[in-house]
Amino acid sequence: MSGPSPADHGPDSPAARRSAGSAVGDDDGATAPGFVLDDDPSRSTHGTEDAGNDTTGPGGSRVGARPVRPRASAGARAGLFARVRGGSRTALRAGVEWLDRPMTSLHLILAVFALLLGFGLLMVLSSSSVSAFERLGSSFSIFQNQATYAAIGLLGFFLTQYLPVRWMRGISTWAVIGSLLLLVAVLVPGIGSLKFGARSWIAVGGFQFQPAEIGKLALLLWAAHVLASRRNTLGSVKALLVPVLPVFLLMAALLMAQPDLGTTVALSIVFLAVLYFAGAPGWLFGVVAGVGVAGLVGLALAAPYRLARVTAFLDPETAGDAGYQLRQSLYGLGNGGWFGVGLGQSRAKWSYLPNADSDFIFAIVGEELGLIGAGLLLLLFGLLAYTGLRIARRNVDPFVKITASAATVWLVGQAAINIGYVIGLLPVTGIPLPMISVGGTSLIITMLVFGLLANFARREPEAVVATNAGDGGRLARFLGMRPDGAAALRARRVQRRRDRALRKGKAPAAARSVGATAASPAAPAPRSTPARPVPARSDGGRATAVDTRQTGLRRPSTQLRDTGARDPRSRPASAGRPPASRGTVGSRAETERLPQQRPERRPVRPSARTDRTR
């Protein structure tokens, strides 16, 4: 057995090279990259380039140099954190400034509306493709029907944005009367259609609609109109509850005669929201809310199928067929995971989950798009809640305040109930998810509510000023993206006056300067009689500057009494009206901002000749 050779311990040995490379890599690793020697050239991170630079060590082994990633120093890390903090503060400041802009509410509500509409149509196409093919022979039939209702809703959305508030308040009473008549008519066997155990639809031609959805919007507008008109006497219980409470109870009774507990719950949300935002006392609101909740619980326990739903909510695994729908919904949500199985790849919609395209469409969203997609949908509804309450807070009209806030609570509350029973937090009530679930009447009414919110966003005081100031294209006028400020509006008015004067053949004062007047041919001096001598003027007969002590602004003496060669103390025959050659030097807008004052002159004692000259 032989000992180690001197080559193994010399300065050129592999061990010495390895230790030297490690020392270079460890020396001031925060600022300069080092190199680590590696006996295995296959581990080189630079491929053939490093292999070409390898050296051959003793015994034929290849030794390659591999760069070491530098370590950041504490100062560099602190600088990075400072830049991140500064960037976050800048972004936060920019976000706050953007929220303070006058048209932010309108842009937010339009963005939420467009995103919810597109998301809803996409999920309707995905969730209804299987059931539509089984029932109608085409995977696109239900989607085409929903898209048709969406087109009608878009027309109503654009019209509602420009509907005057006085028209809303004027037609609200007739809308309530009409909705009550429709709710009575739907109970007639020859008029109302019976589906899913409820007589809730009226068929007109090839379309069907639910009068209950119209009744919710009519009650919202009418109750807000009544309570806004009585805002000075809302301290009494009678002014708050009469006649709003009797009309609500009549509507609720007609809905339960269908029967339709889900729509009754939504109608109750509208009524309670209007009472709350109208300023009802806390005790009165609590009493009404408590009585309403107790009544809904009694109605839920009165019918056997509703009691089965409550039992399935408490224990879906042992509820049998009553808990089948909830179990399949939970299975679908669990199958989605974080990122979902992919759009259109749901398994629950293949006849496993009943009503997958209407009441339980959120389960399909969670399965296909996962927790991320479901969370984004929740974020959109949260943004809707913020925007609606922001619009209500920034308006000054009591009717607009009550309507905007109650409509926001209606939509967000309905979405919360739907998502709550899909994930097992509430008993199943059959309330659709706004803008997402299949349903023509519900979609149109919801789009009209969005149109009202956009209308109210345009009526914010700052938004009105920003919309009326400046020019813009059609898209800019629709979005309210016009130049801000009153200066642009004032410039437009000045330009219109100037153009009007030019059309009449009269040049405006701003377009005529003193130089232009002097360049014109001199007109013969009018006949005038010499006036009584007056003391010599200290300014030598020059024009007197306008007194600006009242305005606090400094102006040059631009208003001249006369530009001819006549004696400035003599008055021409047309002294009763301002001469046509009188003008100003500077912009017309600047002149109009200052009060027009006549130049100072010393009083002249009247005489018979001067009177006749006048």
Side-chain angles (χ1 to χ4, degrees):
M1 183 175 183
S2 59
S5 61
D8 296 336
H9 297 281
D12 297 333
S13 63
R17 295 182 181 226
R18 188 179 299 108
S19 61
S22 301
V24 174
D26 294 338
D27 185 16
D28 195 16
T31 58
F35 291 88
V36 174
L37 300 181
D38 198 342
D39 292 338
D40 188 3
S42 63
R43 296 170 57 185
S44 175
T45 59
H46 291 274
T48 58
E49 182 181 355
D50 289 341
N53 297 328
D54 290 343
T55 59
T56 303
S61 62
R62 298 174 63 88
V63 180
R66 180 168 59 90
V68 175
R69 185 175 301 173
R71 294 193 298 266
S73 63
R77 287 195 297 269
L80 178 62
F81 293 153
R83 286 194 298 271
V84 171
R85 263 196 320 270
S88 61
R89 290 176 181 174
T90 303
L92 180 61
R93 191 181 306 111
V96 172
E97 292 177 357
W98 181 76
L99 289 177
D100 289 338
R101 293 182 180 179
M103 305 305 298
T104 300
S105 299
L106 178 62
H107 298 164
L108 283 176
I109 199 64
L110 292 179
V112 172
F113 170 75
L115 292 174
L116 285 177
L117 180 61
F119 190 88
L121 291 177
L122 181 63
M123 293 312 302
V124 165
L125 175 61
S126 176
S127 61
S128 65
S129 57
V130 176
S131 60
F133 184 80
E134 291 179 352
R135 290 184 298 171
L136 304 173
S138 174
S139 299
F140 300 94
S141 57
I142 296 180
F143 169 74
Q144 290 174 355
N145 190 27
Q146 187 77 356
T148 303
Y149 283 110
I152 300 174
L154 277 176
L155 179 61
F157 171 78
F158 289 123
L159 294 179
T160 309
Q161 285 192 73
Y162 303 98
L163 188 65
V165 173
R166 65 179 184 275
W167 286 17
M168 301 179 197
R169 304 183 69 168
I171 66 176
S172 61
T173 303
W174 296 104
V176 168
I177 295 174
S179 62
L180 288 174
L181 295 178
L182 290 174
L183 289 175
V184 173
V186 77
L187 300 176
V188 179
I191 300 177
S193 301
L194 185 63
K195 290 184 178 181
F196 305 108
R199 194 178 298 275
S200 305
W201 287 266
I202 295 179
V204 178
F207 295 92
Q208 292 183 348
F209 68 95
Q210 284 183 280
E213 297 291 337
I214 303 176
K216 290 189 291 186
L217 180 58
L219 179 66
L220 169 67
L221 295 176
W222 177 74
H225 165 62
V226 172
L227 296 180
S229 302
R230 300 180 178 182
R231 60 185 181 275
N232 295 327
T233 60
L234 290 181
S236 63
V237 178
K238 181 179 179 181
L240 272 171
L241 300 181
V242 179
V244 178
L245 181 61
V247 173
F248 162 71
L249 294 177
L250 179 59
M251 278 191 176
L254 293 174
L255 290 175
M256 290 308 301
Q258 296 179 4
D260 191 352
L261 180 61
T263 308
T264 306
V265 173
L267 190 71
S268 303
I269 292 175
V270 173
F271 173 70
L272 293 176
V274 169
L275 279 185
Y276 178 80
F277 290 107
W283 65 269
L284 178 61
F285 182 79
V287 169
V288 174
V291 173
V293 171
L296 292 176
V297 171
L299 292 174
L301 301 178
Y305 71 94
R306 299 187 194 128
L307 182 59
R309 290 181 178 179
V310 176
T311 305
F313 160 69
L314 297 176
D315 191 1
E317 297 296 334
T318 60
D321 294 339
Y324 173 79
Q325 192 175 23
L326 180 56
R327 290 196 303 270
Q328 292 299 325
S329 173
L330 297 178
Y331 294 159
L333 290 171
N335 188 34
W338 283 91
F339 301 100
V341 298
L343 188 63
Q345 304 300 319
S346 171
R347 299 181 181 90
K349 67 182 180 182
W350 289 84
S351 302
Y352 290 103
L353 178 62
N355 301 325
D357 56 355
S358 56
D359 295 344
F360 280 80
I361 194 172
F362 186 75
I364 306 299
V365 174
E367 184 180 8
E368 294 187 350
L369 303 180
L371 181 63
I372 303 300
L376 290 178
L377 183 59
L378 293 178
L379 183 63
L380 283 179
F381 281 108
L383 187 59
L384 170 62
Y386 165 76
T387 307
L389 296 180
R390 169 193 170 98
I391 293 172
R393 179 177 58 86
R394 293 169 69 94
N395 272 280
V396 295
D397 189 350
F399 171 79
V400 172
K401 284 179 172 290
I402 297 173
T403 305
S405 53
T408 304
V409 173
W410 166 19
L411 297 182
V412 177
Q414 189 168 319
I417 293 176
N418 177 273
I419 296 173
Y421 70 69
V422 167
I423 64 178
L425 296 180
L426 293 173
V428 178
T429 55
I431 294 180
L433 187 60
M435 299 291 292
I436 309 296
S437 297
V438 167
T441 312
S442 175
L443 179 63
I444 292 176
I445 295 300
T446 306
M447 294 174 74
L448 290 180
V449 173
F450 270 97
L452 290 177
L453 292 177
N455 188 326
F456 299 153
R458 294 176 181 276
R459 296 184 180 277
E460 295 179 3
E462 296 179 358
V464 172
V465 174
T467 305
N468 293 333
D471 295 320
R474 294 182 179 179
L475 181 60
R477 287 196 299 269
F478 173 73
L479 296 177
M481 297 186 299
R482 297 181 177 182
D484 192 8
L489 180 60
R490 184 166 53 249
R492 288 184 61 193
R493 291 176 179 174
V494 171
Q495 183 65 32
R496 283 198 299 266
R497 282 195 292 265
R498 183 181 293 120
D499 296 341
R500 192 181 305 115
L502 291 175
R503 284 194 300 268
K504 293 180 179 179
K506 300 178 180 179
R512 296 191 303 264
S513 61
V514 177
T517 305
S520 60
R527 297 179 59 185
S528 60
T529 56
R532 176 171 296 187
V534 295
R537 295 176 55 176
S538 60
D539 56 356
R542 293 188 301 270
T544 305
V546 177
D547 186 9
T548 59
R549 289 175 294 179
Q550 300 293 333
T551 62
L553 301 176
R554 299 182 60 185
R555 289 184 59 198
S557 57
T558 57
Q559 293 189 353
L560 306 180
R561 294 183 59 187
D562 199 347
T563 58
R566 302 184 305 272
D567 186 1
R569 287 170 294 182
S570 63
R571 293 178 57 88
S574 59
R577 57 182 184 273
S581 61
R582 181 179 300 170
T584 58
V585 178
S587 64
R588 176 78 176 272
E590 178 184 357
T591 306
E592 290 180 353
R593 285 196 298 266
L594 298 175
Q596 300 294 332
Q597 300 182 7
R598 301 187 64 177
E600 296 180 355
R601 66 176 186 272
R602 296 183 179 276
V604 179
R605 184 173 300 176
S607 62
R609 289 192 173 186
T610 55
D611 291 342
R612 285 196 300 270
T613 304
R614 294 180 183 178

